[in-house]
Amino acid sequence: MCYSQQYLTSDDMAKIERVLTQAGFHKSETASGMDKDAASFLAREFQDGVTNEADLTMSLERYLTRRAMWRAAPGSDAGSSHKAEAKPASKTPAQQA
């Protein structure tokens, strides 16, 4: 994916901060990895042209839902940074015939 070289202004960053605050993230010196991931995600979305606050909020909600679903997937290791490979389902005797 190619990102434009659009620089974010202080107004842009304030908009992103408002979206993060509404989603329950708080600005701090010791932000968690999730806080940083969410902020980075929104900065990339903004640079890709999603600049409306409502659209940024919806994008963040979808991102957080996908992330939570991935972490909660059976066989996933929430502490691991590697995604588990999908294994093909075994066929039942009826499917093999």
Side-chain angles (χ1 to χ4, degrees):
M1 185 179 295
C2 181
Y3 297 107
S4 66
Q5 287 298 316
Q6 176 184 351
Y7 294 97
L8 301 177
T9 66
S10 59
D11 289 340
D12 300 337
M13 293 303 296
K15 187 181 289 189
I16 289 171
E17 188 173 334
R18 281 192 302 272
V19 171
L20 288 168
T21 300
Q22 290 172 359
F25 295 97
H26 301 286
K27 185 177 175 183
S28 73
E29 294 296 319
T30 58
S32 73
M34 184 60 179
D35 293 338
K36 291 176 185 175
D37 287 349
S40 294
F41 171 79
L42 286 178
R44 286 191 307 272
E45 286 290 286
F46 202 99
Q47 289 176 323
D48 284 347
V50 182
T51 58
N52 178 283
E53 250 178 271
D55 293 339
L56 286 168
T57 298
M58 286 190 312
S59 290
L60 180 61
E61 287 173 2
R62 283 192 302 266
Y63 169 75
L64 294 173
T65 299
R66 282 191 314 265
R67 185 177 170 123
M69 288 172 57
W70 176 78
R71 287 180 162 253
S76 70
D77 181 6
S80 173
S81 61
H82 300 288
K83 200 174 189 177
E85 289 183 26
K87 296 180 183 176
S90 59
K91 293 183 179 181
T92 63
Q95 291 173 324
Q96 292 175 351

